[in-house]
Amino acid sequence: MHFDPTTASAGGRMGQTNQQGTVVGAHEDSLASIGAPRRTRLRMAEQEKVVDALESWPPEPIGQVRVRLLTEDAVADLRGPTACEVLDDAGVRAVLDRLGPDPQLDDGPEAEAKFVERLRKSGKAVGLQLMDQAVVAGIGNVYRAEILFRARMNPHLPAKQVTVEQARDLWADWARLLEIGVTTGQMMTMDDLADDAYRAALANRADRHWVYKREGLPCRVCRTHIVLEEMGNRKLYWCPRCQA
Ligand SMILES: [Zn+2]
């Protein structure tokens, strides 16, 4: 979903502007689309009423808008969904029951065990399994690439060859990155950065990731060129040396 208003006020967190993140069409990168910054967005809505008044309201739909949710001062547009249906309560329940665990809803041992079991039961590549909503809900393309790099795991490794220990680590890392994302409002996947580097990373997507959108650039760890390939009809970025 794409939310308006999208720009953070000057008094926003860390003082950064978010213009670079709000590229129409680049849904998964957009600060204005669901990925990480859920809590932050709710906070942003209150700050941005002043901005709204200066523009025509409501804004014209852009792209393939299938659903629009509109209030007096906010709009959420659903664009280009894989599936789009109106469901009754039972239908919603059935969809939710099919979904894998989401650590923002439940990071307890049962959720972890469900993830580990569902991930490892398939001979498909681990990079594919992480994008299966029945295995884990909502990782998305940015986090898939980044989590696998952080684990130094080959995306083509058959998921059944992932050890229980490794699977638990993937789950824990996903929970950690998701919490950072929700807290900062950015899909920040590099941690342990010094203050300056951290600020740069928050302000600029290019400084925020290990491998995502870095094809052809030297790996931050080993200087091997980052590879881009299609996996599960989505672009996958990885380092063939660190993730050999
Ligand atoms: Zn590398």
Side-chain angles (χ1 to χ4, degrees):
M1 300 204 78
H2 185 95
F3 291 81
D4 259 318
T6 58
T7 49
S9 66
R13 298 173 67 82
M14 309 297 290
Q16 84 274 25
T17 63
N18 293 325
Q19 299 289 358
Q20 287 166 319
T22 54
V23 181
V24 170
H27 296 172
E28 69 202 353
D29 304 324
S30 174
L31 271 177
S33 63
I34 279 184
R38 278 166 276 193
R39 246 180 247 152
T40 302
R41 241 180 248 118
L42 292 176
R43 289 191 203 114
M44 282 165 54
E46 292 175 28
Q47 300 167 0
E48 287 161 2
K49 285 175 186 169
V50 182
V51 178
D52 298 350
L54 303 174
E55 298 166 5
S56 70
W57 190 261
E60 285 294 311
I62 298 171
Q64 298 184 326
V65 174
R66 299 297 185 225
V67 175
R68 164 167 281 193
L69 306 177
L70 181 65
T71 71
E72 282 179 15
D73 54 11
V75 59
D77 284 341
L78 177 63
R79 289 199 199 123
T82 310
C84 186
E85 294 174 69
V86 177
L87 301 174
D88 60 14
D89 286 350
V92 171
R93 190 72 256 159
V95 170
L96 291 178
D97 286 346
R98 283 202 300 273
L99 286 180
D102 174 348
Q104 276 284 305
L105 300 176
D106 178 4
D107 64 355
E110 279 178 35
E112 181 198 73
K114 191 188 276 186
F115 168 77
V116 170
E117 191 236 310
R118 291 187 182 184
L119 179 81
R120 298 179 68 245
K121 79 177 175 197
S122 169
K124 279 193 256 172
V126 64
L128 278 175
Q129 283 291 86
L130 289 178
M131 296 295 272
D132 184 341
Q133 300 288 324
V135 172
V136 56
I139 278 193
N141 213 25
V142 178
Y143 287 121
R144 164 176 72 167
E146 294 291 299
I147 286 168
L148 287 171
F149 178 83
R150 289 162 61 93
R152 302 296 189 268
M153 187 177 285
N154 189 316
H156 296 278
L157 180 71
K160 57 172 64 159
Q161 290 179 26
V162 175
T163 67
V164 169
E165 191 69 33
Q166 287 173 320
R168 282 190 184 138
D169 287 347
L170 288 173
W171 172 256
D173 200 39
W174 165 227
R176 171 181 156 76
L177 291 183
L178 183 57
E179 180 58 30
I180 291 171
V182 169
T183 305
T184 65
Q186 309 281 9
M187 288 191 235
M188 170 69 76
T189 53
M190 299 181 68
D191 48 9
D192 302 327
L193 294 175
D195 285 355
D196 284 355
Y198 186 75
R199 269 191 293 278
L202 278 181
N204 185 358
R205 197 165 63 217
D207 295 326
R208 206 176 291 158
H209 302 310
W210 289 104
V211 292
Y212 183 73
K213 288 258 169 105
R214 286 181 53 78
E215 73 272 23
L217 294 173
C219 172
R220 297 185 192 277
V221 173
C222 74
R223 314 303 290 170
T224 300
H225 288 180
I226 299 301
V227 167
L228 165 63
E229 67 173 83
E230 291 263 320
M231 183 184 267
N233 294 318
R234 305 290 296 277
K235 288 176 178 171
L236 172 70
Y237 305 82
W238 62 295
C239 173
R241 184 162 176 191
C242 292
Q243 299 169 259

